[in-house]
Amino acid sequence: MTMTDTERPAITPAFQHVSAVRKAKNLTATVLVWLSFLIAVVPLVWVLYTVIEAGITRIPYTNWWSQDFGDVLSDEVGGGVLHGIIGTLLQGLLCAVIAVPLGILVAIYLVEYGRGTKLARVTTFMVDILSGVPSIVAALFIYALWITTFGFPRSGFAVSLALVLLMVPVVVRSTEEMLRIVPDDLREASYALGVPKWKTIMKVVLPTALSGIVSGVMMALARVMGETAPLLVLVGYSGYVNWNMFSGEMAALPLVMNNERVSNPIGEGTVGFDRIWGAALTLVLIIALINLAATVIAKLVAPKTK
């Protein structure tokens, strides 16, 4: 025998009455959250507006993207930052080629093989220390090791080595977090089918976490591309395009800004002012494109759900 709807006991709905105190607390928390959000956003919008307003005068010109400063006098209107763009991209790309595999392999060891081991604890401690190392310290270390001890010349490759020290801990941390959120059920299901651990990592764990790993890598790359200290210590400024990472002076967008600050007056309306803010806006646009590419790639490689 089953009860009809009229015979079933009525279910008392939850939260029939919300007290005034709870409503006040909820309103206070909501206001504080929105206020904190606005406090964080206002400086960001202010900085972005300032960079766009001051740097937009040079961006629309074609020669800004297709020429360098090699044949232009320091105080002469004209030229472009092609040499800085190429230097920034080359140094960042070489840094990523070294740092990304190294960081991902370290993260795989920490999550998949070294849980609870003494070596994993030491590695985690060293990664934490490395993540707090200032960029100038990383640059001085590479200068002492690569240039002073080994005798190699100052070059774009030395800059990339310093950037590797700054990028590796970010890649390790982001990849480690992405691997940890992969459900253990997927690993156990793969092991139950007789799949070796290394193949489980390659075919199951990494593809599942790949979208987050890509986003973390792109964010780390965008972060190191704006560093200035390694450029000042490890390579000299060149107004010409230099494709050789192992020899000769090489420009980068942060180095272009510093050179213009030193060699030209930077009052509003001057050549130096326009070049500095134009290079700053160019760097912001490149980083924005990298972040956009990270978002698109992460969506493309994310696991498909029905």
Side-chain angles (χ1 to χ4, degrees):
M1 176 181 289
T2 59
M3 291 190 301
T4 63
D5 292 339
T6 57
E7 295 175 336
R8 289 194 179 96
I11 299 175
T12 304
F15 303 109
Q16 281 185 323
H17 174 71
V18 180
S19 65
V21 175
R22 296 188 64 177
K23 290 181 179 179
K25 290 181 179 180
N26 179 70
L27 179 61
T28 302
T30 303
V31 171
L32 290 176
V33 168
W34 276 102
L35 185 61
S36 301
F37 171 75
L38 292 176
I39 292 174
V41 167
V42 167
L44 175 62
V45 174
W46 193 356
V47 169
L48 190 60
Y49 171 78
T50 302
V51 173
I52 294 175
E53 182 189 33
I56 197 63
T57 56
R58 300 300 298 271
I59 295 297
Y61 296 100
T62 305
N63 60 355
W64 180 256
W65 303 93
S66 60
Q67 296 180 8
D68 53 36
F69 291 155
D71 298 323
V72 179
L73 298 178
S74 61
D75 58 348
E76 181 182 354
V77 177
V81 290
L82 179 63
H83 58 310
I85 295 173
I86 291 176
T88 299
L89 294 178
L90 287 178
Q91 293 163 15
L93 179 62
L94 183 57
C95 168
V97 168
I98 301 173
V100 172
L102 183 61
I104 291 177
L105 289 175
V106 171
I108 290 175
Y109 169 75
L110 293 176
V111 176
E112 302 295 335
Y113 292 97
R115 292 187 183 184
T117 63
K118 184 176 181 180
L119 180 58
R121 290 194 295 269
V122 172
T123 303
T124 300
F125 178 71
M126 297 305 296
V127 170
D128 291 338
I129 293 178
L130 194 58
S131 63
V133 171
S135 58
I136 185 64
V137 175
L140 291 175
F141 171 76
I142 295 299
Y143 185 89
L145 179 67
W146 186 257
I147 297 175
T148 304
T149 303
F150 293 157
F152 293 103
R154 299 169 71 202
S155 62
F157 181 73
V159 174
S160 295
L161 292 179
L163 297 181
V164 166
L165 297 179
L166 303 175
M167 187 174 178
V168 163
V170 181
V171 175
V172 171
R173 277 291 171 231
S174 60
T175 304
E176 187 179 0
E177 293 302 321
M178 291 300 104
L179 294 178
R180 288 188 187 280
I181 65 176
V182 175
D184 286 336
D185 294 343
L186 296 179
R187 298 178 176 89
E188 293 170 359
S190 179
Y191 298 151
L193 295 175
V195 180
K197 186 169 187 175
W198 69 268
K199 187 173 288 188
T200 299
I201 295 172
M202 294 297 297
K203 299 294 185 179
V204 177
V205 178
L206 284 179
T208 304
L210 188 57
S211 61
I213 293 174
V214 171
S215 298
V217 167
M218 291 297 189
M219 297 299 178
L221 179 60
R223 184 253 181 187
V224 300
M225 287 176 64
E227 292 291 346
T228 306
L231 296 166
L232 297 175
V233 175
L234 298 171
V235 69
Y237 174 75
S238 171
Y240 294 91
V241 174
N242 179 15
W243 293 91
N244 191 346
M245 288 289 294
F246 298 93
S247 178
E249 298 176 338
M250 175 178 284
L253 290 171
L255 202 55
V256 171
M257 289 183 272
N258 180 76
N259 182 75
E260 293 299 320
R261 179 190 63 84
V262 173
S263 61
N264 280 324
I266 56 174
E268 187 171 355
T270 61
V271 174
F273 180 90
D274 291 342
R275 288 177 177 177
I276 288 174
W277 286 104
L281 182 55
T282 303
L283 182 60
V284 170
L285 291 176
I286 291 175
I287 292 176
L289 289 175
I290 291 176
N291 292 334
L292 180 61
T295 303
V296 173
I297 295 174
K299 289 184 177 180
L300 293 176
V301 301
K304 301 299 185 294
T305 57
K306 294 184 178 179

